[in-house]
Amino acid sequence: MQVMELIQNKLYKKIKNSVGRAIADYDLIQDGDRIAVGVSGGKDSYALLYILEELRRRAPISYELIPITVDAGYPGFRSDIIEASLKGNGFAPHIEKTSHYQIIAEKRREGSSYCSICARLKRGSLYAFARDKGCNKLALGHHLDDFIETLLLNQFFVGSLKAMAPAMLADSGDITVIRPLVYVEERELIEFSQENGFSVVSCSCPVSDLPDLQRKKMKELLTELEKSIPHIKRSLLRAMGNVQPRHLLDKSLYRKF
């Protein structure tokens, strides 16, 4: 089967070039890599898979992509739509059925975050699948906005100067998580998804309709700041790659000069 032919316009070229640049800048993919790609059914993960496949077909190196979808067991989650979409577009999807919904219902403490425990369980399943399939990398669909919002969330609510890394070795030491969409803005992915008719499905989480209020505040703040500082997102992203330890307050980094 032929892999989906994406609409190759200016936006496609911009996203493809951004992903290619991220791969080059952070050495995200090497010859012989076997990469598990997390496909949640959302716009970001679909875009990640299809763009990586476009690059793979033209790359001077050889690497494999293995789509994986974790079905947490939420009532109404249409993993069948994801599976049919990927099969129809030339991929061999893997749907991992889990009992995460039941575990969360039984173990979650009252008042604790639903999303955080779900994310930990899902990440564990992705790691386990990657190991089982002999993958050395796990690609996730976090985009530029995710990086910036995480940076601001940690600064405003945690008191930590921390965001995400485009490549990070897991604690187990055997799998590297990569985030090739680091240079791609969310609004670009929304438009890209709509243009190409991706079969987007909801995670059907019981709280999926409730906004993450802290992250929502960061989105609103950035939207407001963009009105007077149009380049603010790109500037903040550059700041994450231009750290000046001498001008910070971390005592473990402090030296008298």
Side-chain angles (χ1 to χ4, degrees):
M1 280 186 289
Q2 281 292 109
V3 173
M4 179 181 189
E5 289 297 326
L6 300 172
I7 296 174
Q8 299 194 14
N9 55 13
K10 184 177 180 180
L11 178 62
Y12 161 82
K13 292 177 182 177
K14 183 179 181 182
I15 292 176
K16 184 165 70 72
N17 290 341
S18 294
V19 172
R21 183 160 57 89
I23 290 172
D25 285 352
Y26 299 104
D27 199 21
L28 300 184
I29 298 177
Q30 291 88 35
D31 189 39
D33 278 346
R34 188 171 170 85
I35 306 169
V37 182
V39 181
S40 66
K43 65 186 186 310
D44 309 328
S45 58
Y46 275 128
L48 173 65
L49 176 64
Y50 286 119
I51 290 295
L52 286 181
E53 174 61 17
E54 287 285 311
L55 292 171
R56 187 197 67 78
R57 294 190 313 193
R58 296 166 174 76
I61 61 173
S62 174
Y63 61 89
E64 296 180 69
L65 299 175
I66 305 175
I68 171 66
T69 298
V70 175
D71 186 337
Y74 295 128
F77 178 61
R78 297 296 304 276
S79 61
D80 59 310
I81 292 178
I82 301 172
E83 184 174 20
S85 176
L86 295 183
K87 280 183 177 179
N89 288 302
F91 293 99
H94 299 267
I95 309 297
E96 292 294 296
K97 302 282 187 178
T98 73
S99 57
H100 292 174
Y101 176 50
Q102 181 180 350
I103 293 171
I104 295 170
E106 293 175 354
K107 302 295 185 183
R108 186 176 71 91
R109 296 190 306 275
E110 186 176 354
S112 63
S113 170
Y114 211 104
C115 296
S116 61
I117 185 171
C118 181
R120 288 196 300 272
L121 290 170
K122 186 173 289 186
R123 184 67 61 86
S125 292
L126 289 169
Y127 282 149
F129 171 85
R131 292 189 187 95
D132 183 63
K133 296 299 180 182
C135 299
N136 62 314
K137 290 184 178 167
L138 169 63
L140 300 178
H142 296 114
H143 47 67
L144 183 150
D145 295 62
D146 290 323
F147 278 72
I148 294 169
E149 289 162 16
T150 302
L151 173 71
L152 296 179
L153 282 167
N154 280 314
Q155 289 180 289
F156 290 178
F157 298 102
V158 182
S160 173
L161 195 57
K162 181 177 67 174
M164 297 177 177
M168 182 183 70
L169 184 65
D171 292 340
S172 56
D174 59 341
I175 296 172
T176 299
V177 175
I178 61 173
R179 299 181 171 96
L181 296 180
V182 57
Y183 294 149
V184 183
E185 293 189 43
E186 183 175 26
R187 57 187 161 214
E188 295 171 335
L189 293 169
I190 292 171
E191 184 180 348
F192 187 65
S193 173
Q194 292 171 343
E195 284 184 351
N196 289 281
F198 294 155
S199 301
V200 174
V201 301
S202 166
C203 70
S204 294
C205 165
V207 298
S208 61
D209 292 332
L210 300 177
D212 180 332
L213 294 180
Q214 291 182 344
R215 188 169 289 272
K216 183 172 180 284
K217 288 179 181 177
M218 298 303 100
K219 287 181 179 292
E220 291 172 349
L221 174 62
L222 286 168
T223 298
E224 187 62 29
L225 288 172
E226 272 191 305
K227 294 176 182 177
S228 56
I229 315 172
H231 61 278
I232 187 169
K233 289 183 181 179
R234 297 289 170 177
S235 182
L236 285 169
L237 192 73
R238 285 196 299 273
M240 282 186 256
N242 185 22
V243 180
Q244 306 291 326
R246 290 180 60 191
H247 300 277
L248 297 174
L249 302 180
D250 191 326
K251 294 178 182 177
S252 67
L253 299 175
Y254 180 72
R255 296 289 185 273
K256 291 184 178 180
F257 295 98

